Structures are given as C-alpha cells and as structure tokens.
Amino acid sequence: AKRATVAAWQPSAPAFRRRYFHHAIANEALRDAVAEPILSAVAASLKPHGQLVLVETVAAARLDAADPNVAAWCRLEGRAPLLPAEEAITRMLGRLGFEVRVVEDMSARHMKLALQGWKRLVRDLAADRPGPARAGLVVAEAELWLRRIQLMHEGRIRLLRWHAILTSAGA
C-alpha cells in the first residue's frame, strides 16, 4: 500500500528524515518564515530525482505594510506582509540542486474558484439563513477573500506553483 507522511514541523528549525522521501508537497511552507532553511531541509529529505511541488503566495515587489489594503489582508490572513519573490524562489531551488520544470501562476484559477465558491455559499445561505454568530464568521471570511482577490486582481500578490526535480547531484 502506498503511504504518505503527514506531520507537524517547525518552520524556524525544519528537520525531516534525510534522503527518505520520493516526493514532497509544500503548501505555503514559506509563510512568515525564512525560505532557505526550509527549502534546504526539504531538498535534504528527498531521494535523488525526488519531486517537489511548492505552492506559495508571492509578491513581485515588496508589499507596503502601511497600505490599508495590505494591512487589512495581512491582519485577516494572520500573516506578515513579507512575501517571497518568484525569481528568488526559483534561483534558490536551482542552487539547492533542483531542476525547475514548471512555474505556474495559478492566481486566475484561484480567484475564479473562490468566486464560484462564494456564489454557491450565498445561494445556499438564502435557503438556510445563518444566525448572528455564524453570519459574523461568514462576513469575516468574505472580507479576507475580498482583500486577497483584490490584491491578486491588481497583480500585487500571486499564487504560484513550482514543480521541481532534485538532480542526483542535488543538495
């Protein structure tokens, strides 16, 4: 039987079993953390020719923490405005011995699916009106998604996916 290992880890001190895994999926693993130690630990955990899929929210330019839209989004997401840059991650993966096969901007699909989900929720809420507590949670979540989609639509943040293969001479 095929198995997947799912375990908690510390972004400040990432430690994974060395040369153990064939594949790794890292979803927002660099969020509010220094990228190099995390990506180095992931590279060290993969067997030669192991594959990495990395999904991250990135920014082409440094986000201004004083901008009300950025500040609100960060507060709602519970994150700092320090997002990595696409080029920096791609270069770092190369230095760590990865051959980057795909860098895909998933922002448009992400926004489209989010809006479809919200439309479906609003339709369902019409039939099953939430109480005040639940309505408050829905409004807070809607504001988070509104801010995220606005920043993506403006091109200030993007959701990217990297698919990379560790070469035999890798980290």
Side-chain angles (χ1 to χ4, degrees):
K2 296 193 181 230
R3 297 183 181 159
T5 301
V6 179
W9 60 285
Q10 292 298 321
S12 58
F16 307 109
R17 196 165 169 184
R18 189 164 179 75
R19 297 283 181 255
Y20 182 75
F21 300 102
H22 294 282
H23 308 287
I25 299 173
N27 235 352
E28 293 274 322
L30 308 180
R31 180 184 177 135
D32 295 336
V34 179
E36 187 141 13
I38 293 170
L39 294 177
S40 292
V42 170
S45 76
L46 289 174
K47 293 180 179 184
H49 307 291
Q51 297 184 43
L52 168 66
V53 173
L54 173 67
V55 176
E56 284 297 328
T57 303
V58 301
R62 189 175 183 96
L63 295 176
D64 180 5
D67 178 316
N69 291 328
V70 171
W73 174 68
C74 289
R75 177 182 47 77
L76 292 164
E77 288 256 353
R79 71 181 309 150
L82 304 171
L83 274 65
E86 172 186 349
E87 299 80 18
I89 292 175
T90 302
R91 279 194 309 272
M92 192 176 304
L93 289 170
R95 282 195 313 271
L96 292 170
F98 285 97
E99 178 185 326
V100 177
R101 296 280 179 98
V102 174
V103 181
E104 176 191 9
D105 186 340
M106 302 185 331
S107 303
R109 183 172 59 216
H110 185 67
M111 290 186 289
K112 178 182 175 185
L113 291 172
L115 290 174
Q116 285 175 351
W118 278 105
K119 285 178 185 177
R120 189 174 315 119
L121 177 67
V122 168
R123 186 184 63 238
D124 293 348
L125 288 176
D128 181 21
R129 299 190 69 74
R134 186 167 165 229
L137 294 172
V138 170
V139 169
E141 189 71 14
E143 183 182 1
L144 181 151
W145 281 96
L146 176 70
R147 302 288 183 170
R148 173 190 285 258
I149 290 171
Q150 179 183 11
L151 291 172
M152 280 188 178
H153 184 72
E154 294 170 355
R156 293 164 64 187
I157 65 171
R158 296 182 300 144
L159 186 67
L160 297 184
R161 175 184 68 90
W162 286 261
H163 180 197
I165 298 174
L166 189 66
T167 64
S168 58

